Amino acid sequence: MITSWHERTSSEVAQQIGVEPLSGLRDTDVAERLSKYGFNELIDRGGKSAARVLWEQLTSTMIIILLAAAGISFFLRDYKDAIAILSIIVLNTLLGFSQEYRAERAMAALKKLAIPFVKVRRNGRVFEISSRDIIPGDVVFLEAGNLVPADGRLIETVNLRTQESSLTGESEPIDKDAHSVSAPDSPLGDRRNMVFRGTLVASGRGQFIVTETGMATQLGHIAGMMQKASQDLTPLQKRLDKLAKQLAVIALMIVGVVFLLGLLRGEDLKNMFLIAVSMAVAAVPEGLPAVVTISLALGAQRMLKRHALIRKLPAVETLGSVTVICSDKTGTLTQNQMTVTVLDVAGHSLELQQSDHRSLLEEKAAGKKHSFSLLLAGAALCNDAVLNEESGVKKIVGDPTEGALLVMADRWGLSIEAIGKKFPRVNELAFDSNRKRMTTIHTLPEGDLEITAGLSNKPFVAFSKGALDGLLELSSSVWLDGAIQSMNGDWRERINAANRKLTEKGMRVLGVAFRPLDFKEGKAEILEKDLTFVGLIGMVDPPRPEAKEAVEKCRLAGIRPVMITGDHPLTAHSIASHLGITTTSQVLTGQELNHMTVEELMKKVDEVSVYARVSPEHKLKIIEALQKRGHNVAMTGDGVNDAPALKKADIGVAMGITGTDVTKEAADMVLLDDNFATIVSAIEEGRVIYDNIRKFIKYLLTTNSAEILVMLLAPFLGMPLPLLPLQILWINLVTDGPTALALGVEPAEQNVMGRSPIHASENILGQGMGWHVMWVGLLMTFLSLVGGYFLWAQGQQEWQTMVFTSLTFCQMAHVLAIRSELSSLFKMGIFSNPWLAGAVFLTVGLQILLVYTPVFQEIFHTVPLDARQIGLCALSASGVFLAVEVEKGLKRRSVK
Ligand code: ATP
């Protein structure tokens, strides 16, 4: 491949690469090139293959210790034990592998979904394809907020600037120019006619011919650096890792004591060694962090079903502790289906019904028809949306606000295509969320068109549309029935009053102004001044029907929804009160935020739930103030400049439909349906996952502590060691597995969204879990030992099997009882988690098999229990179950 594209003109490049820029590649080229160059993707070394997952399973410390134990048993010619240990390793590895592999696949599937779409021209048509399908020769469109999908030579640029810091380290955006030709040895940062994969479009728009894709791109060359998928542990994993280490120390000390006591009692050294190994394996909860990853990954998959795409795994757990959701208004809380309902020129207001036909509109407009026409022509010209007609139905392509203006202009009888041709656009200042307006410069046609009557005889005209407040400040005159009048206080007041009337009803209001010009180039400060104000356009955007309910759900869940919008304060307040986001009249505006320090804002953030006329930078300030007040903040964003706020928030949320690639890239979570209610669903799912992880830990630690205590206390009662090494391994590595997995799919607790969020820094063992582990562990120990003790005292050989079976049964009873933190199992019904019911039956069945079939009796050294004895085991289990039910009952009372 040639790499000196930057030294050539764009037509040379097009010719060289074999594409006609105006029509793009043809289907035949596409197939051929795709097979030649492959997909446009970087080789991902982040994900794990099946073999790798298996290898990691087999080389975990626990398995290595067990393998050593099996080896030693084999060496000592204890083949039965060696084979049994090996079988347990195989069973355990299979279980672990299948879980982790499923989690890996879930994550890989999520990653694939996150691939952005790009606009390309092929076969003379423009459409969107996955950026993975781009090939050299493709003509690709760029606009602000896009991530450049491949390397290429620019063929058109309109104020295009890209941010290339990922490649060159240069953080200032670079001006691009399709017409320039760079020197042969110019460094990447100076190649102004080229764009590179992985860089961002900061502003403007352009088109380029793809020259390299995938690993052949500049980014591909340094891919090794970029691909280091971060292996950082999630906060919960870190805490668990620490916990596991602390517990390991305690457990190993106890193992040491048991080992010594055993030796002192004259137990066989080999036997004691195997017991120590089994106990160590049992007691050290080294698998906890892995279990968390699996729960989170599978949780992320469940969230996807509810339209929330998780991009960063820790987000799943952070979601559970969100206390404030800062949400955009348009499209997230509202439907983003704008309809113009009011036109207002020079104090003459027209309220429009959907059913108004053209002649009725003209009648309503009466003598002001010309002003209304100019208002709508300006709105249609200063506009990037397109109205496509497909089988008689007009469809909007582009921004819904702009689309609504085109629909209105069309209803008014303006031919959008015709005026576009009469007033060709020669320059533009794109809309941005700081200025909150947009301006386009057009050649002013000669001759007396209806619309232009009275405009002036200058060669150019600028049309600006945008937020009324800003536009009014820039206007020095006003358009009054075909004549320009100077703007005075009266006019200002009349226009503001009209604006107030509409915004109070929750409408989005745009002003339109124009300015005849002698020149066409210049910055915003030069072009956007001395405007002549034409009028206002009011549009409605109904709230999403599900938003109100979601807001209510947040309130019950102790989460505060906050609206942050670029719209007018009255519009914002009207919609926020309708949805129940605010009950006061307090609104903070961007202007007020400008004058506040973060400390001053901190005093207000707990009361103010509506922020209006804000720019993306204000979002950072709001997050900072909230975080300093101890909140865990989820923040939505869609625009180019929202990325820093999304990064700063605890959970950055990007819009899947209207969001830019840049925000998606920065986000922890993407809303595939742009819907506020989806954030709330994801939080709910996050809480369920957190709950289930806690239940799992509770289950595991309780069982482990019971086992260790049984081994530790028995010698003090004068008994020999009650459990044999294989029995310990069985309880830990086999009977734990299926039940633990099934706990992971435990449905949501009834009150999951009826309680306050769990604080991010709260100990996972908090809320009484530490106590639970201790007292239930002791109870299990007592109940399992008591029966065994009497049998042992009577010299009956069943005593050991009885302790073993009691423990397994108690464990099953416990898992059923802790399915809910508060609700009784009697109320939930055993089959409300059929997987768990199945796992418990399976485990009990296996235990019976171990006790009553000769093969297993031989391996596990069990003896058959009679009806009374097995009944006693069941009774012990019922004891544990009832005790935990009582604990929950007491908790329920205290919650009430
Ligand atoms: P939200 O937070 O409600 O989603 P936003 O913050 O994205 O809205 P913007 O789209 O930035 O709001 O719009 C802010 C203001 O800019 C609007 O109130 C409107 O007056 C003006 N505006 C919006 N879209 C355009 C546009 N295409 N052209 C000109 N002005 C616009």
Side-chain angles (χ1 to χ4, degrees):
M1 254 286 156
I2 303 164
T3 52
S4 51
W5 304 110
H6 58 285
E7 297 165 31
R8 296 150 203 255
T9 63
S10 56
S11 44
E12 279 170 1
V13 171
Q15 203 181 13
Q16 191 107 34
I17 215 156
V19 62
E20 167 49 54
L22 290 180
S23 55
L25 293 175
R26 287 163 314 207
D27 279 342
T28 41
D29 305 326
V30 171
E32 189 194 310
R33 290 183 189 216
L34 198 58
S35 66
K36 183 168 170 199
Y37 298 109
F39 287 114
N40 176 33
E41 56 195 359
L42 300 181
I43 295 165
D44 187 2
R45 299 193 188 88
K48 290 185 201 162
S49 64
R52 165 115 202 178
V53 172
L54 188 63
W55 175 248
E56 282 185 5
Q57 285 280 333
L58 284 174
T59 50
S60 72
T61 327
M62 183 184 81
I63 298 288
I64 290 178
I65 296 179
L66 281 178
L67 280 173
I72 291 172
S73 302
F74 191 79
F75 185 69
L76 297 173
R77 292 170 194 278
D78 196 345
Y79 301 122
K80 249 185 357 198
D81 269 11
I83 291 175
I85 296 179
L86 283 178
S87 318
I88 286 182
I89 294 178
V90 170
L91 255 175
N92 192 257
T93 310
L94 280 180
L95 245 165
F97 171 79
S98 71
Q99 284 182 66
E100 203 185 327
Y101 188 59
R102 219 155 61 103
E104 270 298 324
R105 281 223 318 256
M107 282 318 285
L110 291 184
K111 256 193 209 162
K112 273 219 179 100
L113 276 177
I115 296 175
F117 276 78
V118 285
K119 224 160 132 192
V120 295
R121 185 186 286 127
R122 282 183 184 173
N123 298 311
R125 282 185 50 220
V126 176
F127 51 97
E128 289 201 319
I129 59 171
S130 162
S131 77
R132 186 170 172 263
D133 296 333
I134 288 182
I135 39 179
D138 262 330
V139 178
V140 175
F141 291 76
L142 291 176
E143 59 187 36
N146 282 165
L147 208 65
V148 179
D151 289 3
R153 172 66 164 84
L154 286 160
I155 53 175
E156 188 202 353
T157 45
V158 181
N159 303 326
L160 182 71
R161 301 175 88 204
T162 60
Q163 214 273 6
E164 304 191 336
S165 63
S166 59
L167 267 189
T168 61
E170 170 61 53
S171 59
E172 280 298 303
I174 315 241
D175 284 307
K176 293 287 173 177
D177 179 8
H179 301 300
S180 71
V181 173
S182 311
D185 50 0
S186 51
L188 286 188
D190 293 345
R191 298 185 189 173
R192 294 182 47 217
N193 53 17
M194 298 283 295
V195 281
F196 303 102
R197 183 188 170 117
T199 60
L200 310 171
V201 180
S203 57
R205 57 186 174 81
Q207 290 179 40
F208 72 98
I209 297 178
V210 174
T211 51
E212 279 93 16
T213 56
M215 292 303 280
T217 58
Q218 295 295 335
L219 186 68
H221 293 324
I222 53 165
M225 277 154 59
M226 306 294 297
Q227 279 172 17
K228 268 193 207 107
S230 96
Q231 296 287 338
D232 284 351
L233 295 180
T234 74
L236 186 56
Q237 280 176 320
K238 277 188 205 149
R239 268 186 275 156
L240 282 181
D241 210 29
K242 202 171 134 199
L243 174 74
K245 283 191 181 121
Q246 288 165 345
L247 289 177
V249 174
I250 303 176
L252 289 178
M253 281 180 346
I254 298 182
V255 171
V257 173
V258 173
F259 185 72
L260 278 179
L261 282 179
L263 288 187
L264 286 179
R265 286 175 52 93
E267 298 263 359
D268 171 37
L269 179 68
K270 180 210 127 198
N271 212 15
M272 276 321 294
F273 166 76
L274 279 185
I275 283 185
V277 167
S278 317
M279 277 183 71
V281 168
V284 178
E286 62 146 32
L288 277 184
V291 169
V292 175
T293 320
I294 292 165
S295 309
L296 296 180
L298 298 180
Q301 209 178 24
R302 282 206 301 278
M303 289 186 179
L304 187 60
K305 292 210 182 99
R306 301 177 82 167
H307 308 294
L309 171 68
I310 297 293
R311 292 196 67 251
K312 297 172 189 160
L313 205 49
V316 178
E317 70 186 56
T318 320
L319 269 169
S321 42
V322 164
T323 56
V324 177
I325 308 175
C326 297
S327 170
D328 285 345
K329 172 178 69 69
T330 313
T332 318
L333 289 162
T334 67
Q335 301 180 12
N336 210 2
Q337 282 175 359
M338 308 269 177
T339 316
V340 173
T341 57
V342 176
L343 303 178
D344 187 296
V345 290
H348 190 87
S349 193
L350 257 196
E351 287 207 22
L352 311 167
Q353 306 298 325
Q354 201 66 34
S355 54
D356 287 353
H357 47 80
R358 173 106 39 97
S359 50
L360 187 61
L361 291 177
E362 287 189 356
E363 200 179 301
K364 280 185 173 179
K368 316 282 174 185
K369 184 164 175 278
H370 172 66
S371 297
F372 284 120
S373 296
L374 180 63
L375 177 72
L376 288 171
L381 284 168
C382 181
N383 199 313
D384 286 329
V386 183
L387 210 55
N388 276 345
E389 188 157 343
E390 272 172 37
S391 37
V393 184
K394 298 209 164 125
K395 274 179 75 180
I396 297 168
V397 182
D399 175 30
T401 301
E402 301 200 331
L405 298 175
L406 290 189
V407 170
M408 188 61 231
D410 183 66
R411 278 181 70 201
W412 193 260
L414 292 176
S415 162
I416 292 156
E417 206 183 329
I419 58 170
K421 281 197 182 128
K422 272 183 200 139
F423 294 79
R425 192 189 285 191
V426 289
N427 193 8
E428 65 195 58
L429 298 168
F431 170 75
D432 86 54
S433 41
N434 287 324
R435 276 165 46 246
K436 298 189 174 47
R437 67 181 152 267
M438 160 175 178
T439 296
T440 50
I441 321 283
H442 306 260
T443 313
L444 191 55
E446 287 178 12
D448 204 12
L449 290 166
E450 193 214 9
I451 309 167
T452 54
L455 274 195
S456 85
N457 46 12
K458 301 233 161 129
F460 303 108
V461 60
F463 282 105
S464 300
K465 74 173 196 312
L468 184 87
D469 10 353
L471 209 61
L472 208 51
E473 266 172 37
L474 303 172
S475 300
S476 55
S477 53
V478 57
W479 183 251
L480 185 65
D481 305 334
I484 294 178
Q485 273 210 355
S486 114
M487 171 82 75
N488 56 25
D490 275 358
W491 272 118
R492 247 177 242 285
E493 186 38 47
R494 279 169 78 173
I495 295 169
N496 276 326
N499 181 38
R500 239 183 343 260
K501 201 170 134 205
L502 302 183
T503 47
E504 268 170 358
K505 292 187 200 153
M507 285 183 164
R508 167 169 277 206
V509 179
L510 290 188
V512 176
F514 72 89
R515 178 184 176 198
L517 286 170
D518 287 316
F519 51 92
K520 58 176 180 171
E521 306 283 347
K523 292 196 162 154
E525 300 80 62
I526 309 225
L527 293 171
E528 290 176 341
K529 66 177 194 188
D530 287 336
L531 305 181
T532 302
F533 188 82
V534 183
L536 333 154
I537 302 177
M539 49 185 95
V540 291
D541 175 19
R544 283 179 180 267
E546 61 279 40
K548 202 168 180 171
E549 198 184 316
V551 166
E552 179 59 21
K553 217 171 178 181
C554 284
R555 291 215 168 284
L556 291 174
I559 302 166
R560 199 157 60 92
V562 169
M563 177 193 278
I564 301 188
T565 173
D567 240 328
H568 192 279
L570 292 175
T571 311
H573 184 262
S574 160
I575 294 188
S577 12
H578 172 82
L579 291 175
I581 290 178
T582 185
T583 48
T584 69
S585 59
Q586 292 204 59
V587 179
L588 268 185
T589 63
Q591 232 175 2
E592 289 165 310
L593 286 171
N594 282 338
H595 298 116
M596 283 172 129
T597 61
V598 173
E599 284 66 32
E600 283 165 338
L601 183 56
M602 274 171 70
K603 293 187 196 128
K604 297 237 171 187
V605 277
D606 280 326
E607 290 144 39
V608 179
S609 296
V610 183
Y611 296 85
R613 282 286 185 249
V614 295
S615 307
E617 306 86 78
H618 295 127
K619 288 188 172 181
L620 279 175
K621 209 172 190 177
I622 299 171
I623 296 179
E624 202 177 332
L626 282 167
Q627 284 175 337
K628 281 197 171 159
R629 297 279 305 158
H631 287 291
N632 221 325
V633 186
M635 169 75 81
T636 67
D638 48 11
V640 203
N641 304 328
D642 281 333
L646 296 199
K647 280 198 184 133
K648 183 154 179 65
D650 298 280
I651 295 282
V653 184
M655 300 299 141
I657 305 171
T658 55
T660 51
D661 298 344
V662 182
T663 44
K664 289 181 198 164
E665 191 74 6
D668 300 290
M669 176 167 97
V670 179
L671 301 181
L672 297 181
D673 56 0
D674 289 11
N675 191 343
F676 177 78
T678 302
I679 311 178
V680 184
S681 307
I683 290 182
E684 180 172 354
E685 201 64 64
R687 288 187 174 192
V688 174
I689 292 164
Y690 188 84
D691 279 357
N692 289 350
I693 291 179
R694 251 176 70 90
K695 285 172 197 167
F696 176 83
I697 295 173
K698 200 185 219 180
Y699 170 59
L700 208 70
L701 293 188
T702 311
T703 315
N704 285 3
S705 68
E707 254 172 295
I708 294 191
L709 287 173
V710 162
M711 297 297 279
L712 180 69
L713 295 184
F716 289 103
L717 298 174
M719 300 159 81
L721 286 176
L723 294 174
L724 298 172
L726 276 181
Q727 296 175 345
I728 301 178
L729 289 181
W730 175 260
I731 293 182
N732 266 283
L733 303 183
V734 183
T735 63
D736 264 3
T739 33
L741 265 185
L743 260 189
V745 294
E746 185 61 40
E749 295 252 9
Q750 245 175 8
N751 71 336
V752 70
M753 288 302 266
R755 56 171 203 237
S756 315
I758 292 163
H759 202 273
S761 62
E762 186 176 303
N763 191 336
I764 184 97
L765 288 185
Q767 297 180 335
M769 201 215 282
W771 281 113
H772 177 97
V773 168
M774 269 196 261
W775 80 257
V776 181
L778 272 171
L779 181 70
M780 278 191 190
T781 311
F782 172 74
L783 290 174
S784 318
L785 272 184
V786 98
Y789 180 80
F790 285 111
L791 287 191
W792 169 74
Q794 291 163 12
Q796 298 195 31
Q797 57 158 350
E798 289 92 343
W799 77 273
Q800 247 179 347
T801 307
M802 179 114 167
V803 176
F804 176 39
T805 309
S806 282
L807 253 184
T808 309
F809 282 10
C810 284
Q811 196 186 3
M812 294 304 112
H814 183 229
V815 80
L816 287 174
I818 58 164
R819 275 187 48 200
S820 165
E821 193 79 27
L822 289 179
S823 308
S824 155
L825 184 71
F826 296 113
K827 202 166 151 214
M828 296 196 299
I830 190 162
F831 290 108
S832 49
N833 179 354
W835 291 102
L836 191 74
V840 168
F841 282 124
L842 177 76
T843 312
V844 170
L846 283 174
Q847 184 70 21
I848 303 267
L849 219 60
L850 244 62
V851 175
Y852 293 103
T853 48
V855 191
F856 288 113
Q857 286 168 356
E858 176 92 352
I859 301 172
F860 286 89
H861 302 286
T862 50
V863 286
L865 301 176
D866 64 24
R868 200 174 51 98
Q869 290 162 342
I870 196 110
L872 270 178
C873 296
L875 204 63
S876 307
S878 320
V880 171
F881 177 77
L882 289 176
V884 178
E885 283 291 346
V886 170
E887 183 198 33
K888 291 192 293 186
L890 292 176
K891 264 199 209 162
R892 279 199 296 275
R893 267 185 42 189
S894 75
V895 167
K896 265 186 200 153

